[in-house]
Structures are given as C-alpha cells and as structure tokens.
Amino acid sequence: MSPEISNQSLLFLIVFVVVPLSLSYFYQLGMSRSILTSSIRGTIQLFAIGYILTFLFDLNAYIGIPLMITVMIIIASFHARKKGRDLPYVLPTLLAGLIMIEVSVLSLWLLFDMVEFVPSEVIPMSGMVIGNSMVAMGLALERMKTEFAENNGRILAALSLGAEPKQASHLIVQRTLNAALIPNVDRIKTIGLVQLPGMMTGLILGGVAPIMAIKYQLVISLSIFSSVSLSAMFVTLVMYKHFFTKDKQVLESKEAFKEYSSRDNA
Amino acid sequence: MIEFKNVSYGPLKNISLSVDKQEIAILFGPSGSGKSTLLYLFNRLIDPEQGEIFYKGKPIDDFSITGLRQNVGLLLQSPNLFPGSVLDNLKYGPSLTGSWKEGDEKRLLEYVQLPQDLRDRDVDHLSGGQQQRVSLARTLANEPEVLLLDEPTSALDNNTAEEIEIVLKELIEEKGLTMVMVTHQLDQVRRMGTKGMFMNEGTIQETGGLPGMLDNPETLELKEYLEG
Ligand SMILES: Nc1ncnc2c1ncn2[C@@H]1O[C@H](COP(=O)(O)OP(=O)(O)O)[C@@H](O)[C@H]1O
Ligand SMILES: [Mg+2]
C-alpha cells in the first residue's frame, strides 16, 4: 500500500459514484441528482475538516484543543436537543452533561497516560466520545418521552397513592437506562468479530501494528462505553424532574388528562 | 368533610358541592361530563383554575400534598397496575411511608373478594375484573379516610359488584370513611348512595337524597338521562 493517496488516484473515486449513478439512471430511481450533490457535498465537507484539523494541529495544544472541544460540544448539544425540544432546560442539561463527560474522560486519559495532550490524539478521540454521547443522550430523551406517554396512567396511579415524582418515575428511569445500555453491551460483546472498529481499521491502514491499534481501540471503546452510560444516566436523572411541577403534578397534565380520559371513555 | 367552592378546571364549570363525613356521595351522569376530572381535583392530581377546595374545613393546599393523596385515596378508572406481582401492587402505597406489615395482603384480598393464592401472581396474568379489584385493594391499602372511586365495579359481573359494595359499606361503618363514587350503573346508584350528584356537561345539574332524586327528578336533563 502506498503511504499516501495521490490526487490523481483520488480522481478515480468517480468510478465509485458512477455505479449508484448508473443504477439510478437505468432503473429510473430519480436519485441521480441527489447522488451527485451528496457526493460532492461530502467531499467538500471532508476536505474542509481536513484543513481545519491541519490548522488546529499546528496551533498550540492549549489553544487548539479547548477551541475544538468547545465547538464539538456546542454542535453536539444543539443536535441532541432536537430530540427533546418540547422539554424545558434541555440545552443546558445537554451542555452540562457533555462538558462533565468530556472533562472526566480527558482527565482519566491524561492521568493514566493513555493519550498524549496533543491535538492529533485528543481531538479525534474526544470527537468519538462526544459524538457517541450525543447520540445516547438523544436516544435517552426520546425514549423517556415515549415511556412517560405510555405510562401516564401508572404515574398518575403512583402519585395518587402518595408517591414522590422520583418514586413515580422509577419504572420509567429504569426502562430508559435499560434501553440506552443494552445496545452498548451488545456492541462491546461482538467487537472485532462482526466488524473491525473504525479507528482500528484506520490505524492499521496507516501502518500501525495490529496489537498497537488494538490498544488504542480498547481505550476508545471502553471510554465510549462508559461515557455513553454516563450520558444516558445523566440526562435521564436530570430530565425526569422536568416532567413534574413543583406541586408533584404531571406537567401539562391538561394534555395528559385529555388523552388519558379519552382513552378511558373509548 | 369535603367542599368545593365555585371550582372550574378544563371541562368543569363553576362546581360547588359538599360531602359530609361518612356519607356515600354518588357522582353519576353521561360519559364525558367531567366526573373523573372532579375526582382528580380532590386527590390534587390537578389544581383548580378557579375556585377553592376545602378538606376538613381547611383549604386543600394547607395539607402536605403526598399526605393528602394518601389520606384521600383515589381509584382511577383504569387499573393502571405496576409491573410485578399482586403483592407488589398492594404494598406500594404503605411501603412509601414504611407502614406495610407482612400479612396485610390477606385482609386486602378478602376485601375485594380475591382468592389468597393470587398474591404472587404476575399482574399481566390477571383478568380485567381481577385487575380492577387489585387496583381497588391497592387504594384501600393506604387506609384512606376518604375514598374516591372512579367506576370501581365497571369490569365486574353483578354478583361480584354487589359483594364489593357490601364490603365498602362495611368499611364506611367500621372506619368512619367518607366516599365519593363515580358510576353510571343506575342500580348501583340506588343501592349504594346516600347523596346523589348528577353531572352534565361539566356542571352539577342536580343534587339530592338517594334514592329520592331518581324517583322524582327535578331537572329535565336528569329526567332525560334516567329515561336513557
Ligand atoms: N384540561 C382539560 N381541558 C379541556 N378538556 C378536558 C380537560 N381534561 C379533560 N378534558 C375533557 O373533558 C371531558 C370530561 O372528562 P372526564 O372527566 O373523563 O369525564 P367522565 O369521567 O365524566 O367521562 C373529556 O372529554 C376530556 O377529554
Ligand atoms: Mg370518567
């Protein structure tokens, strides 16, 4: 394998686009346009990130790293917020959660000498931690909303028996965390068997010895595992409170009751 | 014991009512008239938009909210059982205050006419009628002073319903309970109630002694409802 892909070779990537393009053409899928634009857009995005990373890597680590991590956390928070726009205090909760996770993971990496404090190591590794945490938080938010809607009657029953909101939502918190953790346990269990993890693949292609690549992969996989668990837990434990008023009533119970009683009457 | 003064909330318009200690007040009327909503207000699952509710002569929000909810037990219209066994459900309320004693379930299962061996049954494996009775027993487990029951026997056959009515009446005698019960079974209104409140389109249209008001309805709406 050549150490570097030349620009001429890169041009032949066109071939890989021609395949779906002709498929769309012959079967009249009407997707030619979006195949073209998305390929071009993806290429531009990647090169832009490449230049930004080059710029950051050349900066002083104490400027480049905080700068990039701040940007990543802000983008990730706004993205995860889409899953819970209708809930109060979502953005500050997500921001706080991501900051807490990134700071603790990074401290551990540095403390145990797993990662060097240079942009080329910290930024991509943090990107994976933040990205995965963002997805987990979004899923937790979504799941929590569904669980609250589906279990509205049980929550009312628990409250009516004198339960605190915390006790009344115990079941929901449990189910949300369960749903957030199961796919991660599965992923760790089959790691390396079904699919070589992306980072390891990259390192091996870059010429790193497989055992070395595996060490890095272990660090990142377990870091992701723990930050994903933590982010789901954080979002769930902070957000469930906002489904209740200070009088221990279900928030927007008007809406909830309307649905609940119309289901009853049906 | 209970007093509503010009209470409005959502579908309810300007409700005033009072229920005395040890009275069995029956709320009846067409579906969608606001009966369930009225019960939620009194357990403070919701608060009035206007007006005031009094309990034992004091504004209802003078009481601690969880204490009030335990004291004014509410049976919701659907069973809404928690996942787990019958026993898990029965001890839920008392466990919140640490007042559950082992063996308490025997008496509760008797109240609602369920066999003792249902104790450890998963609630998913109960019939609709059994679920409704577990739900009633779960409300009774808190030993409330006031019972708000939303169609407690709607899923039961007539015999079981009448047996439970007898148990409820005994509880009222023995423990001096007060009860507000929602039903739209007219024979149950007749058998159970001392005071009737006829609800229609979010208001209490007519109040009277039972069974008197069923035999001599004053308003046209109640007359039409009875002729059904
Ligand atoms: N906050 C609210 N605002 C407007 N309508 C409501 C509200 N809460 C409940 N409703 C509606 O009011 C009606 C009365 O509900 P409900 O109390 O369940 O009546 P009932 O128990 O007599 O059948 C229902 O149609 C319900 O959908
Ligand atoms: Mg109802």
Side-chain angles (χ1 to χ4, degrees), chain B residues 78-117:
Chain B
S78 339
N80 292 308
L81 297 180
F82 308 128
S85 69
V86 169
L87 180 63
D88 292 335
N89 275 273
L90 298 185
K91 66 204 274 195
Y92 188 88
S95 301
L96 296 171
T97 54
S99 56
W100 177 260
K101 286 182 297 301
E102 222 175 300
D104 280 355
E105 70 276 9
K106 288 201 189 73
R107 181 179 43 92
L108 292 167
L109 288 170
E110 265 169 41
Y111 283 159
V112 295
Q113 313 280 314
L114 284 175
Q116 295 292 331
D117 61 4

Side-chain angles (χ1 to χ4, degrees), chain A residues 7 20 31 34 41 49 74 80 82 88 132 159 190-192 243 254:
Chain A
N7 288 339
M31 285 170 61
S34 61
R41 189 187 150 153
I49 284 293
I74 291 175
K82 287 184 197 150
N132 281 281
L159 290 176
T190 60
I191 195 167
F243 285 80
K254 292 190 177 183

Side-chain angles (χ1 to χ4, degrees), chain A residues 253-255 257-259 261-262 265, chain B residues 9-12 29-38 40 49 77 150-151 182:
Chain A
S253 50
K254 292 190 177 183
E255 292 308 311
F257 275 115
K258 239 184 269 180
E259 269 176 44
S261 38
S262 55
N265 292 335
Chain B
Y9 176 94
L12 299 180
S31 189
S33 57
K35 306 182 295 294
S36 297
T37 310
L38 204 151
Y40 298 149
E49 283 155 6
Q77 196 168 346
D150 203 344
E151 309 195 16
V182 170

Side-chain angles (χ1 to χ4, degrees), chain A residues 150-171 175 245-250 252-255 257 260-261 263-266, chain B residues 9-10 31-32 36-37 40 43-47 49 65-67 69-70 72-83 89 92-93 96 124 138-139 142 150-151:
Chain A
E150 278 174 8
N151 290 292
N152 188 44
R154 284 182 176 143
I155 291 183
L156 292 180
L159 290 176
S160 81
L161 290 165
E164 296 287 339
K166 186 178 180 172
Q167 297 162 321
S169 35
H170 179 75
L171 178 72
R175 288 191 180 174
T245 68
K246 65 177 190 334
D247 282 329
K248 302 171 188 178
Q249 295 172 342
V250 178
E252 285 167 311
S253 50
K254 292 190 177 183
E255 292 308 311
F257 275 115
Y260 178 65
S261 38
R263 210 171 342 132
D264 256 356
N265 292 335
Chain B
Y9 176 94
S31 189
S36 297
T37 310
Y40 298 149
N43 180 268
R44 285 204 71 194
L45 284 180
I46 48 179
D47 283 330
E49 283 155 6
I65 195 158
T66 47
R69 285 172 178 166
Q70 276 162 337
V72 181
L74 169 63
L75 172 73
L76 293 167
Q77 196 168 346
S78 339
N80 292 308
L81 297 180
F82 308 128
N89 275 273
Y92 188 88
L96 296 171
D124 284 340
R138 180 176 69 178
T139 302
N142 268 345
D150 203 344
E151 309 195 16

